[in-house]
Amino acid sequence: MLLNTKNVAKKIVAVSCMAIAVSGAFAKPKKAKAVNPALAVTELAPVTRTAKKPGEGVYYSLFVRSFADGNGDGIGDFVGLTKKLDYLNDGDDLTTSDLGITGLWLLPVFASASYHGYDVDDYYSINPEYGTMAEFEKFIAEAHKRGISVILDMTFNHSSTYCDWFKQSRNPESPYRTWYRWITDDDSQDRGGVYNLKQKALGSNVWNIDLMNKKSDDCYYYYAGIFGPHMPDFNMDEQAVRDEFKKVCKFWMDKGVDGFRFDAAGHIYNSGEVKPGTETITKAIPFWKEMNDYILSVNPDAYTVAEVWEPTAVRAKFMGGQISNFHFDLGTLIANIINNQEINDRKGVVPDSDPKTYNGFARSLEADYALYASNNPNYIDAPFLSNHDQARSSSALFRNNVAKMKLGADMYILAEGVPFIYYGEEIAMKSGQDDPSKRTPMVWKPEGKERLTPTWINLPSYKNAGIYNKKTIPVSEQEKDPDSLLQHYKRVIRVKTAHPALSRGRLKALSCGSPVLESWVMECDTEKAFVVHNVSSKDEVTVALPEAVKDLPLVYAANPAAKVENGVLTIPAMSSVVLAANK
């Protein structure tokens, strides 16, 4: 989001469009004769999905540019994405070839001059590199046929400098002038004003000089843009801007979109660009409530999720105006628990014998949720391991250890709310610290074997961003291995979306009395579930189940050696189980 790379050339590789055939899509999946919950306890097997609404189930975040190229120009597009929908969910509960996700978050798809799209030129048009509006509409229809909800990345915080609204706002007499935050040298602290022209935020200047025009010989105009001069910030005190974005949301919901991901939601009133003394959070919450109330008035089942990259206490306050917030730093917490336990196991460190210290992860989740509920009783959490702005979790968090990745996946997917999987996470794609390497093309087949693989990353301007996944095991190979990370993701996603207690339930920590077990109850109106994770890297654990859950049957065992007999649970190292039953 911080880069301002110009449009990638349309013809990156000399691939003829006629060479791109439908053969790039997956073959028609084989069906089982019936769902098989008993078999699904220990292996990948068909189950019945119960998560149906946009605000339930499991979401998959993807970068259209990097997912699948349907016309051979090297850039991912909606034609290619539509061809790959059956990989995500084929709409048939009797098959196991698909990932099983129920929702998609698309990184920005609007017209933009950058490769990433977070500086929007036109909020009412599709990026022409991704295809036509008709192709977008077909993609939406095909996604819905498969039971996949679609939410779009929406940048309310800023536009691009190429946006017509901003270009018109450069004129002090324009009605668009108040749509953005403009000041002059005379408003600066150096001249007795209140604004600090040297203020920085997120590594960039808050106030950016507009050299295209000036008020007088010694007085320039400046506009706010905390993400860089190419991303001018909107003035959300202006009701006309709010009303325009309601029109934008309605436009896309009329196209079939099921909701939105709000970019930079925590910065909508950034302290560096408002008058000193302004209470920014108390201004932001009513704004977000106004927008979400409008969206729900159009579609009562719509789902929105906000990027508030702040500590829990701040996220909780924003929940007062949001439907859902991303659970930032949860991935780091999960990885720290797993990695630190491995170190302790290796060193033979004796765990703390005080049961009051056990189940710390579950207790921390419960505390976070209590804070959310104090601001919004109907909150929906959105846990994730990593996203497009972070180094990928496989290497950054789990040190390329597949067993850790499997356990980490279970620990966040089986918690409260709607988990988000970043594309390629399910096959352990890797990255560096630079933005392009975090958003490289999906690894479908060995290099050169998949004609739908985008090639834009091979341009010299992206340097070595594409080197990180040279050794990543592609989808085509992981699908053949029952023990692969991909097959594990298919299993845990299915258990999440099959059990209403896991999709809609609230979490309550419930200890098993072991220092290496993290466990909690998930309960909704129709079902009760008990989730247990053994974070030890070497020790199988056998414990008596808590009285409240001892009669629940086993419905998921990440390791088939797990068992429950006469109220006693045996759970292998670095694995998870779920027990569940209808009330």
Side-chain angles (χ1 to χ4, degrees):
M1 189 164 69
L2 303 179
L3 300 180
N4 190 25
T5 309
K6 290 296 181 182
N7 281 343
V8 179
K10 277 290 183 181
K11 295 183 179 179
I12 296 179
V13 290
V15 180
S16 169
C17 290
M18 68 179 63
I20 305 299
V22 179
S23 60
F26 286 103
K28 189 174 181 180
K30 295 180 180 179
K31 291 185 180 181
K33 293 181 179 179
V35 296
N36 195 337
L39 186 61
V41 174
T42 56
E43 60 186 83
L44 179 60
V47 294
T48 300
R49 184 174 68 199
T50 64
K52 302 291 186 181
K53 296 181 180 180
E56 297 177 346
V58 178
Y59 271 69
Y60 190 85
S61 167
L62 66 82
F63 188 30
V64 174
R65 180 178 295 276
S66 285
F67 205 64
D69 172 16
N71 66 4
D73 68 354
I75 297 172
D77 49 40
F78 288 111
V79 171
L81 175 54
T82 302
K83 289 180 179 180
K84 290 294 190 182
L85 280 175
D86 281 350
Y87 166 76
L88 299 170
N89 192 328
D90 62 20
D92 190 342
D93 288 350
L94 295 181
T95 61
T96 58
S97 56
D98 61 304
L99 196 56
I101 59 96
T102 61
L104 276 176
W105 156 29
L106 302 185
L107 273 62
V109 298
F110 309 132
S112 173
S114 68
Y115 92 98
H116 51 71
Y118 278 97
D119 44 350
V120 176
D121 295 348
D122 182 357
Y123 287 86
Y124 292 98
S125 69
I126 288 293
N127 186 333
E129 293 184 329
Y130 294 171
T132 65
M133 186 65 78
E135 289 165 345
F136 172 79
E137 291 170 348
K138 180 179 180 181
F139 152 72
I140 291 287
E142 291 297 322
H144 286 169
K145 283 181 184 178
R146 293 160 172 79
I148 302 173
S149 302
V150 179
I151 65 174
L152 300 184
D153 214 318
M154 185 65 69
T155 59
F156 281 179
N157 185 73
H158 52 263
S159 72
S160 78
T161 53
Y162 299 103
C163 179
D164 188 60
W165 303 338
F166 180 75
K167 288 190 289 186
Q168 293 195 53
S169 81
R170 280 193 155 113
N171 179 358
E173 304 303 319
S174 169
Y176 290 93
R177 183 69 168 186
T178 55
W179 283 38
Y180 294 85
R181 297 188 180 276
W182 287 95
I183 63 171
T184 70
D185 282 297
D186 290 338
D187 299 309
S188 70
Q189 293 175 355
D190 292 341
R191 299 190 184 183
V194 299
Y195 296 101
N196 179 5
L197 293 182
K198 298 178 181 178
Q199 178 118 11
K200 291 186 179 293
L202 306 175
S204 299
N205 291 327
V206 171
W207 297 103
N208 302 278
I209 191 168
D210 184 14
L211 296 174
M212 294 182 66
N213 56 62
K214 56 184 178 179
K215 186 176 181 181
S216 63
D217 288 343
D218 66 343
C219 188
Y220 281 92
Y221 293 115
Y222 299 79
Y223 59 91
I226 62 172
F227 289 102
H230 57 297
M231 294 182 175
D233 289 348
F234 286 107
N235 172 24
M236 287 306 176
D237 285 330
E238 176 57 67
Q239 189 62 45
V241 182
R242 299 183 183 213
D243 292 342
E244 187 65 36
F245 273 115
K246 290 175 186 176
K247 293 178 184 177
V248 169
C249 291
K250 177 70 160 53
F251 176 85
W252 292 106
M253 287 192 286
D254 286 346
K255 298 288 185 185
V257 169
D258 301 286
F260 305 95
R261 178 264 187 183
F262 297 130
D263 179 63
H267 296 289
I268 210 78
Y269 284 98
N270 188 276
S271 59
E273 58 188 31
V274 296
K275 290 183 177 180
T278 302
E279 181 32 74
T280 56
I281 294 180
T282 55
K283 287 177 72 69
I285 292 171
F287 165 79
W288 286 118
K289 189 174 189 309
E290 178 183 334
M291 299 308 300
N292 278 301
D293 284 350
Y294 173 77
I295 288 168
L296 292 175
S297 74
V298 177
N299 177 6
D301 288 330
Y303 176 62
T304 66
V305 57
E307 179 195 31
V308 181
W309 200 331
E310 300 288 349
T312 300
V314 177
R315 290 199 310 271
K317 290 180 181 179
F318 273 88
M319 200 66 88
Q322 297 289 1
I323 294 172
S324 181
N325 279 338
F326 285 114
H327 203 134
F328 277 93
D329 298 326
L330 184 65
T332 301
L333 176 59
I334 289 171
N336 286 344
I337 290 170
I338 295 172
N339 291 329
N340 289 340
Q341 185 59 49
E342 180 189 40
I343 293 171
N344 289 338
D345 289 342
R346 188 168 62 246
K347 292 181 176 179
V349 174
V350 177
D352 190 332
S353 61
D354 184 357
K356 293 180 181 179
T357 67
Y358 297 169
N359 216 24
F361 178 61
R363 289 186 287 109
S364 70
L365 287 176
E366 186 176 21
D368 287 355
Y369 299 149
L371 278 177
Y372 294 167
S374 67
N375 292 277
N376 178 2
N378 298 315
Y379 74 90
I380 300 174
D381 195 27
F384 68 99
L385 291 178
S386 62
N387 66 19
H388 60 286
D389 286 324
Q390 300 169 312
R392 284 187 172 274
S393 64
S394 61
S395 50
L397 298 181
F398 300 117
R399 304 170 186 172
N400 301 316
N401 184 308
V402 174
K404 292 180 181 180
M405 294 178 212
K406 290 179 179 179
L407 178 57
D410 287 359
M411 290 180 72
Y412 88 95
I413 290 176
L414 297 176
E416 256 198 50
V418 177
F420 279 74
I421 300 166
Y422 186 43
Y423 80 97
E425 202 162 58
E426 75 277 19
I427 58 170
M429 282 179 61
K430 302 167 183 63
S431 76
Q433 295 294 332
D434 60 302
D435 281 357
S437 77
K438 301 168 187 173
R439 309 175 196 192
T440 53
M442 184 70 174
V443 184
W444 295 108
K445 292 180 180 179
E447 189 172 3
K449 299 295 185 181
E450 172 58 87
R451 288 177 289 180
L452 294 182
T453 298
T455 57
W456 65 270
I457 198 68
N458 296 333
L459 284 177
S461 57
Y462 296 106
K463 298 181 180 179
N464 296 319
I467 67 173
Y468 294 94
N469 289 294
K470 295 293 184 182
K471 295 183 180 179
T472 295
I473 302 173
V475 168
S476 61
E477 294 184 19
Q478 293 204 29
E479 286 183 319
K480 301 172 185 176
D481 179 4
D483 293 324
S484 70
L485 182 62
L486 174 59
Q487 300 298 75
H488 182 86
Y489 263 89
K490 290 180 181 181
R491 290 192 61 212
V492 69
I493 290 170
R494 278 168 169 75
V495 72
K496 175 77 171 185
T497 58
H499 291 277
L502 299 178
S503 288
R504 304 197 304 268
R506 293 302 194 200
L507 179 150
K508 184 175 179 59
L510 181 60
S511 177
C512 288
S514 166
V516 296
L517 297 186
E518 294 288 347
S519 53
W520 54 79
V521 172
M522 294 284 287
E523 192 166 2
C524 67
D525 55 342
T526 61
E527 188 184 42
K528 183 176 185 179
F530 187 52
V531 179
V532 186
H533 309 284
N534 182 355
V535 299
S536 171
S537 64
K538 65 183 183 66
D539 292 331
E540 179 180 85
V541 177
T542 298
V543 293
L545 288 165
E547 185 67 24
V549 296
K550 68 180 182 64
D551 294 326
L552 297 179
L554 191 64
V555 298
Y556 169 74
N559 186 319
K563 59 184 178 180
V564 175
E565 295 178 340
N566 300 319
V568 176
L569 168 67
T570 299
I571 180 169
M574 297 191 73
S575 71
S576 306
V577 300
V578 178
L579 292 73
N582 292 333
K583 291 183 176 179

